[in-house]
Amino acid sequence: MTAPTVLRFGVFFQGVNFSTVWTEPESGSQTDFESFRRLAQTAERGLFSAFFLGEGLRLREHLGRLHELDVAGRPDAQTQLAALAAVTSHIGLVATQNTTYNDPLDLAHRFASLDLISGGRAAWNVVTTDNAWTGENFRRGGYLDHADRYRHAEAVVEAAKALWDAWHAEIAARPDAAAWSDAVPSDEVEARTGHYTARGRSRLPQSPQGRPVIFQAGDSAEGRDFAARQADVIFSAHSAFDAAQTFAADIRQRTLKAGRPAGDVKIFPGQEFILADTDAEAEEKARWVRRHQVTPQTAIAFIENVWGTDLSAFDPDGPLPGFDPVQEVTGETRGAGFRAAQAKATADAWRERAETEGLSIRELVIALNSGRGFVGSPATVAATLQRYADAGVVDGFNITPWLVPSGLDDIVDRLVPELQERGIYPTEYAGSTLRENLGLEPVAVREEGRRTA
């Protein structure tokens, strides 16, 4: 019988979103360092593998007006993670960074810097953007064709990996730094992406983990193939058991096709946990959380993204609009969730569901956004996770706390011990690097004879 998978946890500090309840007295700030520090240190106390930050390259808009939470701010991910490296010692530090609007060798150097100063705990969540709306914020504009987004991203990642692998460790090990002038400490790397041409050498030695870990979250066929070729970890929106099983089989097949062992890409679905003493209390708590996540104003704003017009006159506790959207395709001004959706088809599906289930606008929006979440007592949720571990369909979960910065407290204090008793969660960190703590194989590092560490 195959041993169950030892599950690992990551935490996603979203910042700008409505899945976090920002209005309660115990809610923190999405910009104050204290929120980041407390959440990261709580996660590290719970032996979480990674602390993950998203990215926003432009202030989002809603019906032509700036989205309030975006105006409130979202600090640069690498800046925040560099600060967190000083107050943590084991947890991985994952920054979302865009391949379209960064120069490959400069971005690689910044990640190498974070990796080195953190002692080998840095990771890059690779994302790519092609829309002109985001591109307006940049001198180059939104030039990238949609069909080229992963082709370009792959060239950027390969250039970064080449730079990270170019350092001659045997030269850096010499006690006399002046000896470096006798033998260049790094190979020259040329980056050609179709949009960039750059040439340079690594300016930094490698960290203890060799190079930063690569995360990826694309769910299209192209995104999955990209992850199978380049990523160490893939984030997934498929957290329900059957969907997770199907997703895992697909990723492992694609990974084998890419010439790698089937389990080379670790799978981390996004998930929310709502815990209480009993299952009944947890269900009641979940209802409270959902209604605080989806306020009346949030519900109206959510459907306005599909209808494309002001619906403030509608009662959030009443029915959906009877008229069709004024737009054919939704845009990206409010975020990826609405990008390129066929507005009328979406509206028709929502109206059919609302009528069938007797849902108001607000109830529908709550239902649409409640698909992910383990709800129950710690023992019940642990039993659910045992099923995932026994089947080996995931390697862990990337947890989105519904409250910041205290949203991990009950998970760390009550759920983690239950999982440890079952033998499906670490009881200590495997090592000092993120690669070790994710159970990843070592990368090829440049030493004498270019041997594999």
Side-chain angles (χ1 to χ4, degrees):
M1 182 176 177
T2 305
T5 299
V6 175
L7 300 175
R8 296 172 172 87
F9 286 161
V11 58
F12 180 18
F13 189 117
Q14 288 207 68
V16 182
N17 69 99
F18 68 81
S19 65
T20 306
V21 177
W22 296 107
T23 54
E24 290 304 292
E26 62 267 41
S27 297
S29 163
Q30 65 186 51
T31 57
D32 288 350
F33 182 69
E34 177 61 17
S35 294
F36 295 82
R37 181 203 64 77
R38 180 176 170 189
L39 199 67
Q41 290 183 339
T42 300
E44 188 165 76
R45 180 167 61 84
L47 303 177
F48 279 46
S49 294
F51 182 92
F52 167 51
L53 291 176
E55 176 188 59
L57 293 180
R58 178 173 175 170
L59 290 175
R60 290 180 296 172
E61 300 170 8
H62 177 63
L63 301 183
R65 300 185 301 274
L66 291 177
H67 181 47
E68 183 180 354
L69 276 179
D70 257 19
V71 176
R74 187 198 304 230
D76 171 70
Q78 286 186 274
T79 303
Q80 281 284 12
L81 294 177
L84 289 174
V87 295
T88 57
S89 58
H90 286 83
I91 195 166
L93 306 167
V94 189
T96 300
Q97 297 286 272
N98 198 292
T99 57
T100 308
Y101 301 113
N102 282 287
D103 293 304
L105 300 186
D106 174 66
L107 181 60
H109 176 70
R110 285 187 278 124
F111 268 113
S113 301
L114 179 61
D115 204 32
L116 193 64
I117 66 174
S118 66
R121 295 187 283 136
W124 174 13
N125 178 43
V126 178
V127 295
T128 181
T129 301
D130 56 22
N131 66 79
W133 176 76
T134 302
E136 286 177 359
N137 252 10
F138 296 87
R139 179 170 56 87
R140 291 181 294 274
Y143 61 85
L144 188 63
D145 288 339
H146 185 73
D148 290 336
R149 67 197 192 284
Y150 280 115
R151 187 177 301 113
H152 175 76
E154 192 146 17
V156 172
V157 171
E158 287 179 347
K161 287 181 176 179
L163 191 77
W164 296 332
D165 291 345
W167 186 263
H168 294 245
E170 70 276 10
I171 296 176
R174 294 181 184 180
D176 181 9
W180 290 6
S181 62
D182 297 330
V184 179
S186 173
D187 292 335
E188 187 172 72
V189 173
E190 185 169 335
R192 289 185 178 273
T193 72
H195 299 284
Y196 300 102
T197 299
R199 185 181 292 110
R201 298 180 187 273
S202 175
R203 291 169 277 161
L204 290 173
Q206 291 169 317
S207 81
Q209 71 172 350
R211 66 185 184 211
V213 174
I214 299 294
F215 284 66
Q216 202 267 340
D219 199 30
S220 65
E222 296 92 338
R224 294 185 186 196
D225 282 338
F226 173 83
R229 291 189 298 269
Q230 297 290 348
D232 300 300
V233 181
I234 186 167
F235 290 135
S236 161
H238 307 283
S239 56
F241 184 84
D242 289 346
Q245 198 166 39
T246 301
F247 182 82
D250 182 65
I251 291 299
R252 288 164 185 165
Q253 182 181 35
R254 291 174 191 267
T255 305
L256 283 170
K257 186 177 179 181
R260 302 170 63 186
D264 241 25
V265 180
K266 305 300 182 184
I267 301 171
F268 275 65
Q271 190 58 282
E272 182 179 69
F273 290 76
I274 299 178
L275 305 174
D277 289 341
T278 68
D279 292 348
E281 289 173 333
E283 291 291 347
E284 180 60 31
K285 183 178 178 179
R287 285 189 286 271
W288 182 92
V289 170
R290 302 302 182 219
R291 292 190 70 80
H292 281 72
Q293 289 171 325
V294 182
T295 65
Q297 294 81 5
T298 296
I300 293 298
F302 189 90
I303 67 168
E304 284 177 339
N305 286 298
V306 169
W307 264 263
T309 190
D310 183 0
L311 300 175
S312 59
F314 280 76
D315 180 1
D317 295 317
L320 288 164
F323 59 87
D324 289 339
V326 301
Q327 59 189 20
E328 293 183 8
V329 178
T330 60
E332 54 272 312
T333 60
R334 279 270 294 187
F338 299 96
R339 184 175 300 146
Q342 300 302 309
K344 185 177 185 305
T346 300
D348 288 344
W350 286 2
R351 284 187 293 217
E352 182 179 356
R353 179 173 180 180
E355 185 175 348
T356 301
E357 300 179 24
L359 302 176
S360 67
I361 291 173
R362 189 180 183 191
E363 289 168 339
L364 174 71
V365 175
I366 289 172
L368 290 170
N369 290 281
S370 298
R372 290 185 296 174
F374 291 141
V375 178
S377 69
T380 296
V381 173
T384 300
L385 296 185
Q386 180 82 58
R387 184 186 180 201
Y388 286 78
D390 289 344
V393 298
V394 302
D395 296 284
F397 291 94
N398 200 41
I399 299 171
T400 301
W402 58 268
L403 189 64
V404 169
S406 60
L408 294 182
D409 292 0
D410 55 357
I411 296 171
V412 169
D413 295 335
R414 304 186 65 190
L415 178 60
V416 164
E418 291 269 0
L419 298 174
Q420 289 171 329
E421 277 199 28
R422 292 169 177 267
I424 58 172
Y425 193 84
T427 56
E428 61 182 359
Y429 280 109
S432 62
T433 70
L434 175 57
R435 195 168 294 277
E436 291 172 295
N437 294 322
L438 286 170
L440 295 169
E441 292 295 321
V443 297
V445 294
R446 187 165 199 126
E447 297 178 356
E448 274 192 64
R450 198 165 178 81
R451 64 181 177 82
T452 299

